[in-house]
Amino acid sequence: MTLKIAILKETAPDEKRVAMIPSVAQRIAKLGATLVLEQGGGAAATYTDAAYIQAGVTTEVDQQKLLGDADIVLGVQPPSRDTIKKMKLGSLLVSFIYAKTQPDLVKALCESKITTFAMELIPRISRAQAMDALSSQAALAGYYAPLLGCVHMQKILPMMTTAVGSLRAARVLVMGLGVAGLQALATAHRLGAVCEGYDVRPETKEEAESVGARFVDTGVDARGTGGYARELTTEEKTKVRAVLSQHIAQADLIITTAAVPGKHAPRLIDADQLAAMKEGSVVVDMGAPNGGNCEGTKAGEIIKVGPVILVGPTNLPSCLAAQASELYAKNIYNLLEQVVHNGVLKPDFTDDVIKGTTLTHDGAITNDIIKQFIENVPAEKVS
């Protein structure tokens, strides 16, 4: 018997992506697997059932039949506990999990002895770049953020010369220069804006300049260990705030992208800084799902805070569902290529990538950090 891989239909209200697209499914089939799609699973991302069938993927309307004998289950968002109960004992789940916010889900995965590859846990090492779903999705989110901001602005981004005079280019400030931030800068620059980028890590200066932006230098080096920023002293915070406040006040559009996995989004802009911005200026807070980088951000809402329109998107990759799904599907293919050989699932749990990505296996939490966190959560939160 060949390996059966099930593709879930996403049910979250703001989720349009699908874990596998037809063209990539054909490549996975060559690993010795048959793929079955939950009927209509790709429709929201513009991939019809007919396209999957043409690619050799069958469809199934009954989720119990879909999952009951599936060896591998592919999803985007964390599945429901009801979905997990339908899965075959000991099968493999590949999806985002966000374990620290889903302790009850992690417990359910252990109870069903599901092996879980949590896509957000893919190690940030060179060998795993082609599997790094956080980066692939962040790149599209960063691209889309300036476009979303433009929709709410009362001015254009580029300089424009008309018969009655010239219009000045808008000033765009991007705060947080990871994958999303650099893509946001690149998009805004291509659209003709005057761009500035800021990050607590001064080594990002060259990256900002490489996409046509000017780097905001606060004179403070906040580099810490492990690629993360260290805690600033009170004096340093005061110095950084003074410099940034000037640039925030001058911006027509600000995009904030700062995030720390599993933690509340760091505060980058406070109420006083928002109040000092120009009337009609826009802030797109990409940290909204985790509490926001701006004081007053409301996840999933567009609100007016003083002179500023504050946008709190919760799932920007889903706004580009077709290509976000394409990239995510390729991330999954590159991961499955490491564990599926001639139609047999053979994960090597001593491999750095597989070990780092595995959240649960054989009824236990295998990630030490997540295990410690879950064990410290009160029992009623995981019931």
Side-chain angles (χ1 to χ4, degrees), residues 123-160:
R124 293 293 180 90
I125 58 177
S126 59
R127 189 164 66 86
Q129 285 182 348
M131 311 168 209
D132 188 353
L134 283 179
S135 292
S136 72
Q137 302 305 289
L140 289 178
Y143 162 82
Y144 192 73
L147 306 183
L148 179 62
C150 287
V151 172
H152 299 285
M153 292 174 65
Q154 299 299 314
K155 53 178 67 175
I156 62 174
L157 289 190
M159 182 181 73
M160 181 180 291

Side-chain angles (χ1 to χ4, degrees), residues 166-352:
S166 298
L167 297 173
R168 291 183 178 180
R171 299 180 68 91
V172 175
L173 171 63
V174 176
M175 304 178 73
L177 301 180
V179 173
L182 290 171
Q183 282 296 332
L185 277 179
T187 299
H189 177 69
R190 286 194 293 264
L191 292 174
V194 175
C195 298
E196 294 184 316
Y198 166 73
D199 197 288
V200 294
R201 301 163 298 163
E203 66 266 26
T204 58
K205 177 181 178 180
E206 290 185 6
E207 294 177 311
E209 293 173 343
S210 72
V211 293
R214 176 176 171 270
F215 184 74
V216 178
D217 188 354
T218 62
V220 174
D221 186 342
R223 280 178 290 191
T225 58
Y228 293 99
R230 62 174 174 82
E231 182 70 24
L232 301 181
T233 65
T234 301
E235 183 180 345
E236 287 174 329
K237 288 179 180 178
T238 301
K239 183 178 181 180
V240 168
R241 188 183 189 283
V243 174
L244 287 179
S245 292
Q246 298 176 26
H247 293 269
I248 290 170
Q250 294 169 357
D252 298 296
L253 170 63
I254 296 178
I255 298 163
T256 63
T257 72
V260 178
K263 295 184 178 180
H264 192 284
R267 178 63 51 79
L268 300 181
I269 302 176
D270 61 31
D272 290 342
Q273 290 170 317
L274 287 174
M277 292 181 70
K278 293 179 284 190
E279 185 66 40
S281 53
V282 175
V283 175
V284 177
D285 188 344
M286 292 180 64
N290 296 317
N293 297 138
C294 302
E295 186 172 353
T297 294
K298 293 185 178 180
E301 296 186 28
I302 301 166
I303 59 175
K304 188 85 182 321
V305 179
V308 179
I309 297 171
L310 187 49
V311 185
T314 56
N315 191 349
L316 286 179
S318 182
C319 297
L320 299 169
Q323 290 183 313
S325 298
E326 178 183 350
L327 294 182
Y328 185 63
K330 289 177 178 178
N331 293 144
I332 288 179
Y333 168 75
N334 289 319
L335 178 59
L336 292 182
E337 197 176 29
Q338 308 301 309
V339 298
V340 177
H341 307 283
N342 297 319
V344 179
L345 180 61
K346 291 182 178 180
D348 177 4
F349 293 107
T350 65
D351 179 89
D352 288 343

Side-chain angles (χ1 to χ4, degrees), residues 44-97:
T46 72
Y47 299 104
T48 64
D49 285 354
Y52 283 97
I53 293 170
Q54 188 174 1
V57 179
T58 58
T59 62
E60 176 57 65
V61 67
D62 187 329
Q63 192 181 73
Q64 181 64 66
K65 292 181 179 179
L66 174 77
L67 301 177
D69 62 347
D71 302 290
I72 301 174
V73 177
L74 308 180
V76 179
Q77 295 291 346
S80 66
R81 295 188 70 176
D82 181 60
T83 297
I84 292 172
K85 290 178 182 177
K86 295 175 183 177
M87 291 175 61
K88 184 172 71 172
L89 192 72
S91 56
L92 170 65
L93 171 67
V94 183
S95 75
F96 286 110
I97 299 295

